[in-house]
């Protein structure tokens, strides 16, 4: 049994004394102890070495005592496993030298044996669970099929993923075949993570907001729904679509245990759009963590008051930025732990 199960209670919609808190990208770049590891090992070595991935996962827990840990990994381990070459280039970010842009390119993309290709992730989960010692839950994650497709087609990060969208709109049959392969792989991957010991999973649709509401249903949401359907009886699923407020009503009926909300949607609107009875997670603007700690604490209190303490998980509206002062991150976590309803 997990000793601090606030996060799991919130996912089940149970009443809590205070909401749980964790931060997207909490295991990583803003922490000096992470920078020490980063100086010695390149990005995918950190992901693929269970000892390193598990150490990075627990670093923020030691420092701040969040209510949940999220496994250090990357969404692009999925295309790597699918026979798509992915590098992490300094100053560029993800770099895929052979993008998928035709039916011919798609022929080399496989739905892999997860334990053969991604067994290192399962090892990292087991090591992390040992380190956490049932103190708090562990979250596993994957990117949404659409977000993975964006990188696989574009070949790198982008402000608008124009090549990825063009591919979907000019070669929809091939696009849907690629999306289905990514979906099938993701389902197998997340199921293995659950077997290895994660207590919940989150699907990140970081680039969902690039699509119109109609295109979102066709190229993103229907595949996320397949993942939720396949996992929801085995573990709680959190669905997070950045910039996808327009789909919150659909998402609320999906069978997901919780929905992530970004900072462009107010708590009031998020509750209204989701019908008021699903757990929501978010939605502090990560850049607001540059505000003075006293101001951060006030804003966090207000955010909890507006969402309500139940059916709510305190988080950022996207990942924590690399240059956030440590005391500001601490103020964010402390504000939640000190929360009292008035």
């Amino acid at each position: 049994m997990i000793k601090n199960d606030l996060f799991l209670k919130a996912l089940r919609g149970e009443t809590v004394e205070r909401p749980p808190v964790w931060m997207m990208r909490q295991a990583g770049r803003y922490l000096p102890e992470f920078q020490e590891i980063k100086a010695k090992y390149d990005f995918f070595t950190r992901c693929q070495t269970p000892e390193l991935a598990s150490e990075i996962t627990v670093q923020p827990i030691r420092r701040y005592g969040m209510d949940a840990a999220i496994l250090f990994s990357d969404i692009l381990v999925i295309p790597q496993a699918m026979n798509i070459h992915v590098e992490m280039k300094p100053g560029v970010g993800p770099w895929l030298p052979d993008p998928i842009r035709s039916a011919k390119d798609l022929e080399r993309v496989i739905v892999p044996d997860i334990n053969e290709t991604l067994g290192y992730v399962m090892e990292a989960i087991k090591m992390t669970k040992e380190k956490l010692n049932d103190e708090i839950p562990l979250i596993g994650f994957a990117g949404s099929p659409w977000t993975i497709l964006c990188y696989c087609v574009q070949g790198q990060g982008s402000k608008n993923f124009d090549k990825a969208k063009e591919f979907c709109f000019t070669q929809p049959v091939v696009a849907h075949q690629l999306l289905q392969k990514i979906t099938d792989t993701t389902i197998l991957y997340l199921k293995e993570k659950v077997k290895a010991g994660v207590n919940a999973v989150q699907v990140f649709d970081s680039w969902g907001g690039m699509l119109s509401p109609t295109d979102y249903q066709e190229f993103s949401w229907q595949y996320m729904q397949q993942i939720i359907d396949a996992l929801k009886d085995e573990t709680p699923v959190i669905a997070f679509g950045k910039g996808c407020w327009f789909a919150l009503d659909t998402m609320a009926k999906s069978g997901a245990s919780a929905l992530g909300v970004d900072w462009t949607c107010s708590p009031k609107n998020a509750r209204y759009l989701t019908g008021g009875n699903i757990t929501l997670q978010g939605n502090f603007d990560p850049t607001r963590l540059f505000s003075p700690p006293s101001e951060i604490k006030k804003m966090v209190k207000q955010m909890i008051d507006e969402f309500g303490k139940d059916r709510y998980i305190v988080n950022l509206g996207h990942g924590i930025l690399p240059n956030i002062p440590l005391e500001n991150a601490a103020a964010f976590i402390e504000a939640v732990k000190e929360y009292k309803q008035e």
Side-chain angles (χ1 to χ4, degrees):
M1 291 297 288
I2 306 282
K3 294 184 191 75
N4 169 358
D5 62 349
L6 268 182
F7 172 73
L8 299 175
K9 280 183 169 162
L11 287 174
R12 294 193 294 262
E14 293 173 14
T15 300
V16 289
E17 310 79 70
R18 65 164 177 86
V21 58
W22 67 281
M23 295 189 287
M24 289 187 271
R25 290 223 176 108
Q26 67 187 20
R29 51 208 185 158
Y30 68 108
L31 291 173
E33 51 270 45
F34 172 82
Q35 292 298 337
E36 282 175 31
I37 294 178
K38 184 183 173 187
K40 293 183 201 158
Y41 305 97
D42 73 74
F43 183 79
F44 282 116
T45 301
R46 282 173 262 146
C47 290
Q48 291 161 6
T49 310
E51 292 81 358
L52 294 177
S54 62
E55 169 59 25
I56 292 166
T57 302
V58 299
Q59 283 178 342
I61 310 306
R62 286 192 199 118
R63 186 184 271 272
Y64 296 119
M66 290 85 168
D67 297 306
I70 184 162
L71 188 76
F72 175 77
S73 185
D74 194 79
I75 62 172
L76 297 178
V77 299
I78 288 268
Q80 281 181 331
M82 296 175 70
N83 203 27
I84 300 169
H85 185 67
V86 183
E87 298 167 27
M88 203 56 81
K89 268 196 175 177
V92 178
W95 178 256
L96 292 77
D98 304 306
I100 308 301
R101 293 188 183 158
S102 67
K104 180 123 190 53
D105 293 336
L106 187 64
E107 285 170 15
R108 63 185 155 88
V109 178
I110 60 164
V111 173
D113 176 312
I114 298 298
N115 285 312
E116 251 173 51
T117 52
L118 293 163
Y120 62 85
V121 178
M122 310 316 144
E123 286 309 306
I125 290 169
K126 288 168 190 162
M127 281 189 190
T128 306
K129 290 291 285 184
E130 273 180 38
K131 286 178 178 156
L132 291 173
N133 194 25
D134 287 334
E135 290 294 333
I136 55 168
L138 177 62
I139 305 164
F141 71 90
S144 73
W146 159 253
T147 289
I148 301 293
L149 174 141
C150 281
Y151 289 103
C152 293
V153 177
Q154 196 81 21
Q156 64 187 104
S158 165
K159 285 196 167 62
N160 57 9
F161 287 100
D162 51 343
K163 291 186 177 77
K165 290 172 76 170
E166 180 191 342
F167 170 75
C168 287
F169 303 157
T170 57
Q171 304 178 68
V173 174
V174 187
H176 283 298
Q177 288 169 339
L178 175 55
L179 285 162
Q180 194 57 57
K181 281 187 176 184
I182 298 168
T183 304
D184 294 346
T185 304
T186 303
I187 288 169
L188 293 169
Y189 175 59
L190 290 175
K191 287 193 165 204
E192 286 303 318
K193 281 188 161 179
V194 174
K195 274 189 217 156
V198 300
N199 304 99
V201 297
Q202 175 157 319
V203 183
F204 284 85
D205 197 7
S206 301
W207 305 125
M210 298 280 169
L211 293 166
S212 74
T214 307
D215 291 330
Y216 186 72
Q217 293 299 327
E218 182 178 350
F219 294 103
S220 184
W221 183 254
Q222 62 163 318
Y223 296 100
M224 282 183 74
Q225 184 67 64
Q226 283 185 43
I227 295 169
I228 294 164
D229 288 343
L231 269 295
K232 67 182 181 187
D233 293 336
E234 295 179 27
T235 197
V237 182
I238 304 169
F240 173 56
K242 185 170 178 287
C244 303
W245 61 269
F246 55 78
L248 282 172
D249 58 339
T250 306
M251 292 176 168
K253 303 179 187 96
S254 65
S257 292
L259 303 178
V261 184
D262 69 43
W263 65 93
T264 62
C265 185
S266 70
K268 188 180 171 187
N269 277 345
R271 286 285 181 213
Y272 172 72
L273 292 167
T274 54
N277 49 12
I278 187 169
T279 298
L280 298 178
Q281 174 178 280
N283 68 342
F284 201 79
D285 181 347
T287 318
R288 264 290 175 190
L289 289 177
F290 286 113
S291 298
S294 59
E295 204 175 317
I296 292 169
K297 286 194 166 186
K298 273 190 212 135
M299 292 168 79
V300 171
K301 167 125 179 36
Q302 186 184 348
M303 179 172 76
I304 301 171
D305 285 341
E306 288 180 13
F307 273 106
K309 76 168 173 68
D310 292 329
R311 292 186 188 271
Y312 177 48
I313 296 161
V314 181
N315 207 319
L316 305 174
H318 206 226
I320 187 168
L321 299 164
N323 46 346
I324 294 296
L326 294 173
E327 61 272 23
N328 295 24
F332 181 80
I333 304 295
E334 284 161 15
V336 187
K337 293 190 170 183
E338 292 161 3
Y339 182 76
K340 301 265 188 302
Q341 209 176 9
E342 277 154 24

